[in-house]
């Protein structure tokens, strides 16, 4: 049964109560405290404008151990050309805004609402949300952002204005996470793009073992 949350009460039901759709609860708010509790509990928000805040904890989780990132021969050639410059946390707001506006196949709108942008920019100010930026000739051409729950980094979204830019961001993030001894990159739900980079699905109960203790 899907729970209805009270915005005045900081609480989530146990993820074992998640509906078979992957939805655990509706409502609540996007305060920093609730978002932090959600990510520490294996839960994330995902909804569109006009819908109630929807909290998910799917039975299968798309993940990647940072050292397992797959770099194809063609991507190795792209990296060797050094056509991109990569930075971290230099323009978080621009990255999440570009993710909001990115057009995606089979998707009419965006799940990154203005309220989501405000909430995650707040997490960034608190040092809990990070971005990776990819530049070409001084222009921001790709990037990604996510929530830092070390030893897990919870990837949220990525964008690319030129071929391979988001892949470069993903590879640099994995190299950074490996260097900083993170155990897991959480990619949330399956898609072919992430699969091509080495990500795979694991059961929710296995994913939960990686999360920081509350």
């Amino acid at each position: 049964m899907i729970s209805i949350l009270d915005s005045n009460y900081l609480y989530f039901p146990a993820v074992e109560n998640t509906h078979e759709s992957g939805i655990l609860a509706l409502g609540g708010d996007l305060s920093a405290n609730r978002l932090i509790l959600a990510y520490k509990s294996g839960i994330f928000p995902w909804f569109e404008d006009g819908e109630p805040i929807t909290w998910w904890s799917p039975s299968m989780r798309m993940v990647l151990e940072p050292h397992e990132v797959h770099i194809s021969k063609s991507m190795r050639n792209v990296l060797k050309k050094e056509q991109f410059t990569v930075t971290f946390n230099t323009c978080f707001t621009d990255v999440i805004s570009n993710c909001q506006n990115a057009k995606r196949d089979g998707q009419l709108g965006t799940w990154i609402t203005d309220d989501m942008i405000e909430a995650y920019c707040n997490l960034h100010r608190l040092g809990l949300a990070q971005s990776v930026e990819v530049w070409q000739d001084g222009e921001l051409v790709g990037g990604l952002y996510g929530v830092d729950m070390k030893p897990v980094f919870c990837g949220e979204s990525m964008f690319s204005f030129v071929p391979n830019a988001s892949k470069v961001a993903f590879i640099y993030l994995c190299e950074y996470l490996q260097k900083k001894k993170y155990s897991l990159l959480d990619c949330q739900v399956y898609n072919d793009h992430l699969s091509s980079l080495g990500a795979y699905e694991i059961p929710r109960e296995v994913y939960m073992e990686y999360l920081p203790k509350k």
Side-chain angles (χ1 to χ4, degrees):
M1 182 176 178
I2 297 172
S3 298
I4 306 300
L5 302 180
D6 183 341
S7 59
N8 296 313
Y9 183 33
L10 188 58
Y11 160 82
F12 284 105
V15 295
E16 291 78 12
N17 296 318
T18 302
H19 185 268
E20 62 183 12
S21 64
I23 298 174
L24 174 65
L26 301 173
D29 55 42
L30 295 173
S31 66
N33 285 338
R34 190 178 298 274
L35 286 170
I36 292 167
L37 177 60
Y39 284 98
K40 286 185 175 180
S41 305
I43 304 162
F44 59 89
W46 188 17
F47 61 100
E48 295 184 4
D49 264 329
E51 297 179 346
I53 299 173
T54 307
W55 301 93
W56 298 74
S57 185
S59 61
M60 299 298 292
R61 199 76 168 223
M62 192 75 164
V63 301
L64 178 68
E65 291 189 28
H67 70 275
E68 294 180 326
V69 61
H70 174 65
I71 307 175
S72 67
K73 183 178 179 180
S74 62
M75 273 307 301
R76 291 186 188 278
N77 289 334
V78 168
L79 295 170
K80 285 180 181 178
K81 290 179 181 177
E82 297 183 343
Q83 65 191 91
F84 299 113
T85 301
V86 180
T87 57
F88 286 74
N89 296 313
T90 63
C91 53
F92 183 91
T93 301
D94 289 338
V95 169
I96 192 171
S97 295
N98 284 324
C99 289
Q100 179 190 45
N101 295 321
K103 293 183 179 179
R104 308 182 195 279
D105 292 340
Q107 185 173 312
L108 297 178
T110 177
W111 59 269
I112 305 174
T113 66
D114 290 344
D115 287 343
M116 290 278 273
I117 289 180
E118 181 179 350
Y120 283 83
C121 285
N122 185 39
L123 284 186
H124 177 65
R125 288 189 290 270
L126 295 172
L128 293 171
Q130 316 293 340
S131 63
V132 182
E133 304 89 26
V134 179
W135 308 84
Q136 187 175 50
D137 300 326
E139 298 283 337
L140 181 63
V141 296
L144 59 81
Y145 75 97
V147 177
D148 191 344
M149 289 286 127
K150 192 173 184 179
V152 176
F153 186 89
C154 304
E156 283 295 315
S157 187
M158 60 177 67
F159 78 96
S160 185
F161 292 151
V162 299
N164 298 314
S166 63
K167 289 183 179 179
V168 170
F170 189 90
I171 290 167
Y172 269 75
L173 173 63
C174 287
E175 291 176 347
Y176 170 83
L177 297 177
Q178 186 176 353
K179 184 185 303 182
K180 295 296 183 179
K181 309 296 184 186
Y182 282 69
S183 300
L184 204 67
L185 171 55
D186 171 28
C187 304
Q188 297 182 345
V189 296
Y190 180 90
N191 71 54
D192 291 337
H193 180 61
L194 295 172
S195 179
S196 72
L197 290 164
Y200 51 89
E201 290 183 309
I202 61 173
R204 178 174 55 224
E205 56 267 25
V206 177
Y207 172 74
M208 298 291 289
E209 294 175 4
Y210 286 90
L211 294 172
K213 303 303 180 186
K214 298 179 184 178

